[in-house]
Amino acid sequence: MDSAKSDMRLYSGVAASPGIAVGRMRVIDRRRLGVDEYEVGEAGVSTEIDRLKGAIVRTRDELELLKEQLRTTIGDEHLFFIDTHLLILADERLFAEAAANIESGLINAEGALRRTLHKYREFFAGIDDPYLRERISDVETVIEKILRNMTGEPHAPISHDGGQTIIAAHDLTPADILQMDRGRIIGIVTEIGGRTSHSSILARAFELPAVVGVDGIADPLLSGSPAILDGIGGCVIVNPDRDTFLDYLQRKRHYEYVESELLKSASLPPETLDGHRILLRGNVEIPEEGASVLRHGGEGAGLYRTEMLFMNRPEMPAEEEQYRVYSAMQQAVAPHPLTIRTLDAGGDKLLDGIDLLGEQNPALGMRAIRLALSMPDEFKKQLRAILRVSAGGRVAIMFPMISGLEELRRARALLAEAMGELNDAGHAYDRDIRIGIMIEIPSAVVMADQLAREADFFSVGTNDLIQYSLAIDRTNEHLAAMFQPLHPAVLRSLRRVVETAHEAGIDACICGEMAGDPLYLPVLLGLGFDELSMGATSIPRVKQLLRRCTRERAKEIAEACLGFSTAAEVEIYLKSAITRYFAESFD
Ligand code: PEP
Ligand code: MG
């Protein structure tokens, strides 16, 4: 790292997976193939359509083969992205559109496919939901594969160059990440993508530092340069000067030291100095994250978001597929329990196959339990799959966005029907399975006393509860400062949820982002929550602080917080209280 100071360049992006990597960049050419469009005349049309068909078949064979290879090395549960690609490939519209381009433009198959991709890009660019918008990368990957099969240029797996390698690319597919030698490849950076893209989720699951959305980082001229990837701050420094290099080495050591110290105590019991124990668990989206939850000291998963399995595909997953994936998740956290949340789609998480009639206000529209209740057969399919998993392990069901008793009763009625169907089919399941509800809507807070009589536990989704209580769109970056977890209305709601749950003798949990932020721990502990569920890597830090608190002190802090009139006052008080009592936990 002896580069001249003037060579140093900072590239900013989005932190997608935490950690710091120091190594050499290897730029992978994942950009599109340079294919020409040319005219073939009437006589050439059928040949071009045959070439297109042949390339699609070869691509399908290639994906099936890859699926087989990966199944033996990494297991079934990771293969959802290949299935996604196979589905895109099987979609008649892709072939029909490209074939129509050949016929109408009298052009070659490559040019026709490029035109098709252009149309898909325009369509996806007009989608508001960032998660869905990013799914264009799956379509691009598939079309690129077809093109490579037409031109005979293979898509080689990514390799390292002997040393500690940071891979930079325009985009990386989940397959790229799964096939990487993760011993030598220590970080990844891409020009496109967001925190919710499949690749980012996999990077986090593998604890591989990653930065995405970095303009210009895939420049081939950068290949071989020394680089630092900062997956915490969200940047990449190419050709760092000596001071920056030393500074980052120090930061990296500090980060790794703190992480390893935290991990050492990850298996200690989650209890306060005065012996009060609560449950700390992980939030998960794919089975691979289960191992990470356990390693970070989580006692199972308190929120399994099942949406991932439903997104980015034209049809709902079959009961068998759901059963397989949920079983894999259950086994990944066994012997600890798993709380499976039923489909929470709609709002900012749209599904391909469902037409929500272009809602003006999707967050207030056909979302979560409302959507599930509107398609009882699909909902029962999911319930049957979850119930079947409960036969082999500790599983609880959780309904999202319950607004009142009527919805809870309708959901429970469908659950009873699903149980009846399993009885008829001779399938086993846990007849005493725990049924919880998420408290995310102010009406549920108001009705909490009645809801508590018909639910086995409450889990507060603070992300949505704050959004709906304060009328602040949780995805609107311009309103981020007004999204206030410490708003007195939010704190009072949390107190009411805990009190009504405990009066009814049921547990009160939190699974929104608030649970994973150490700042809020004394408040949540003091209010009396029984369980906090969070991203796996947050567990050790929260546990460390928990083990330095007393329940009594936390109660005093929570009580004091509830005495203020504004979020700003609460925050000033809380920070100073934490600094006074727990200073050493925030170094
Ligand atoms: C929440 O709303 O806090 C929650 C955990 O659910 P999601 O973020 O999936 O909406
Ligand atoms: Mg929610």
Side-chain angles (χ1 to χ4, degrees):
M1 305 280 171
D2 49 2
S3 320
K5 216 174 187 109
S6 56
D7 286 348
M8 181 163 87
R9 285 193 66 183
L10 172 74
Y11 293 82
S12 300
V14 176
S17 177
I20 293 173
V22 178
R24 226 165 251 284
M25 290 251 290
R26 178 164 160 77
V27 178
I28 303 296
D29 187 5
R30 283 290 191 261
R31 287 166 307 163
R32 60 197 176 107
L33 275 180
V35 291
D36 291 331
E37 177 179 311
Y38 52 86
E39 286 189 18
V40 295
E42 296 271 358
V45 166
S46 68
T47 314
E48 292 307 304
I49 289 183
D50 286 347
R51 287 184 62 230
L52 177 64
K53 270 189 200 151
I56 289 178
V57 170
R58 282 195 298 283
T59 306
R60 195 192 55 217
D61 293 348
E62 198 179 280
L63 283 172
E64 295 283 8
L65 185 67
L66 176 66
K67 194 170 160 180
E68 263 330 292
Q69 288 167 345
L70 286 179
R71 177 171 282 139
T72 51
T73 53
I74 56 156
D76 266 358
E77 66 271 21
H78 286 307
L79 304 178
F80 61 90
F81 71 90
I82 301 185
D83 288 328
T84 303
H85 291 172
L86 282 167
L87 277 166
I88 293 170
L89 205 56
D91 186 352
E92 280 296 310
R93 281 168 297 188
L94 179 66
F95 171 74
E97 179 82 33
N101 283 338
I102 296 176
E103 280 163 351
S104 61
L106 303 180
I107 53 172
N108 60 332
E110 290 90 337
L113 256 184
R114 275 266 171 262
R115 287 190 192 188
T116 307
L117 177 58
H118 185 67
K119 203 164 161 188
Y120 274 90
R121 280 210 184 100
E122 279 181 346
F123 172 75
F124 276 81
I127 297 177
D128 283 340
D129 170 37
Y131 180 89
L132 264 192
R133 205 165 47 234
E134 280 169 23
R135 301 280 71 79
I136 183 64
S137 67
D138 288 316
V139 179
E140 282 172 343
T141 304
V142 170
I143 289 187
E144 210 63 29
K145 281 181 190 297
I146 303 174
L147 283 171
R148 284 182 191 270
N149 267 313
M150 238 162 349
T151 55
E153 280 196 48
H155 213 120
I158 292 175
S159 61
H160 51 82
D161 42 9
Q164 303 283 74
T165 307
I166 295 171
I167 295 293
H170 177 64
D171 191 16
L172 290 170
T173 64
D176 287 330
I177 295 175
L178 288 167
Q179 290 171 298
M180 278 174 186
D181 171 355
R182 291 191 297 276
R184 288 294 178 81
I185 292 174
I186 54 166
I188 54 174
V189 49
T190 58
E191 292 188 321
I192 64 168
R195 264 189 67 79
T196 55
S197 61
H198 286 151
S199 303
S200 297
I201 289 168
L202 273 185
R204 285 198 292 280
F206 290 133
E207 294 170 40
L208 182 66
V211 182
V212 298
V214 182
D215 229 17
I217 200 70
D219 181 345
L221 292 176
L222 298 179
S223 220
S225 308
I228 295 164
L229 180 142
D230 178 353
I232 305 157
C235 67
V236 177
I237 300 161
V238 180
N239 292 323
D241 62 28
R242 193 179 156 72
D243 289 351
T244 309
F245 174 66
L246 292 176
D247 174 41
Y248 262 96
L249 268 193
Q250 182 72 19
R251 287 197 215 188
K252 179 173 154 61
R253 266 191 230 119
H254 180 73
Y255 175 79
E256 287 169 0
Y257 172 74
V258 172
E259 289 302 298
S260 68
E261 283 303 299
L262 284 169
L263 271 182
K264 270 190 211 156
S265 48
S267 57
L268 293 174
E271 71 185 19
T272 59
L273 287 172
D274 47 353
H276 178 76
R277 192 173 175 129
I278 64 171
L279 265 177
L280 298 184
R281 304 171 73 197
N283 291 351
V284 290
E285 289 182 309
I286 54 171
E288 177 62 34
E289 287 173 298
S292 175
V293 169
L294 300 193
R295 212 162 57 77
H296 287 90
E299 297 179 284
L303 168 64
Y304 173 20
R305 292 179 164 104
T306 54
E307 294 81 74
M308 181 71 100
L309 191 58
F310 290 73
M311 292 176 134
N312 192 30
R313 56 195 298 166
E315 280 159 10
M316 300 274 180
E319 180 180 325
E320 279 314 306
E321 182 184 349
Q322 294 190 50
Y323 170 69
R324 267 205 319 277
V325 176
Y326 304 156
S327 292
M329 187 73 244
Q330 185 273 319
Q331 279 152 28
V333 298
H336 300 287
L338 168 69
T339 299
I340 306 183
R341 178 174 75 182
T342 59
L343 181 63
D344 179 10
D348 62 346
K349 296 178 251 184
L350 297 180
L351 300 185
D352 292 8
I354 296 180
D355 180 6
L356 293 176
L357 308 170
E359 293 178 326
Q360 291 288 321
N361 283 306
L364 304 180
M366 196 54 125
R367 223 201 117 172
I369 197 70
R370 298 171 194 165
L371 180 64
L373 292 173
S374 76
M375 38 181 206
D377 290 340
E378 290 298 338
F379 190 33
K380 279 198 290 176
K381 209 189 271 179
Q382 181 175 40
L383 293 171
R384 285 195 303 269
I386 298 174
L387 284 168
R388 285 170 56 194
V389 176
S390 75
R394 297 164 68 195
V395 167
I397 296 185
M398 180 156 80
F399 298 127
M401 283 196 55
I402 292 286
S403 66
L405 265 180
E406 205 184 355
E407 276 167 350
L408 174 55
R409 287 180 181 157
R410 286 176 60 204
R412 289 195 83 125
L414 287 171
L415 182 67
E417 279 182 32
M419 287 178 168
E421 286 158 12
L422 290 180
N423 291 340
D424 294 345
H427 281 297
Y429 61 89
D430 174 6
R431 285 165 198 272
D432 298 318
I433 190 165
R434 295 176 74 229
I435 316 295
I437 61 170
M438 290 196 68
I439 305 286
E440 313 187 81
I441 304 184
S443 61
V445 176
V446 175
M447 298 303 292
D449 50 338
Q450 298 203 11
L451 288 166
R453 290 191 211 124
E454 301 187 27
D456 298 324
F457 63 93
F458 284 163
S459 189
V460 186
T462 47
N463 309 337
D464 277 314
L465 184 62
I466 297 167
Q467 149 161 285
Y468 294 121
S469 296
L470 306 182
I472 296 293
D473 178 351
R474 62 191 263 191
T475 66
N476 185 334
E477 68 274 20
H478 304 298
L479 300 181
M482 291 188 215
F483 190 89
Q484 296 170 323
L486 294 177
H487 193 292
V490 175
L491 296 183
R492 288 182 191 195
S493 297
L494 293 178
R495 176 172 60 182
R496 177 169 165 76
V497 172
V498 180
E499 284 178 357
T500 48
H502 289 173
E503 272 161 26
I506 64 171
D507 282 348
C509 320
I510 293 211
C511 62
E513 294 301 307
M514 240 182 129
D517 187 333
L519 176 65
Y520 307 126
L521 190 259
V523 186
L524 304 181
L525 174 67
L527 285 172
F529 279 95
D530 305 287
E531 172 186 321
L532 307 179
S533 192
M534 62 202 80
T537 51
S538 301
I539 298 172
R541 223 170 277 273
V542 170
K543 187 184 283 186
Q544 187 195 50
L545 186 58
L546 175 78
R547 291 178 52 80
R548 292 180 184 182
C549 288
T550 63
R551 175 82 205 285
E552 281 316 305
R553 176 64 80 205
K555 268 188 189 166
E556 284 166 25
I557 292 176
E559 207 46 53
C561 285
L562 279 155
F564 293 103
S565 316
T566 68
E569 286 166 6
V570 180
E571 189 169 336
I572 291 168
Y573 161 76
L574 184 58
K575 283 189 172 154
S576 78
I578 285 182
T579 313
R580 255 180 291 135
Y581 300 125
F582 314 110
E584 64 277 30
S585 300
F586 283 78
D587 51 9

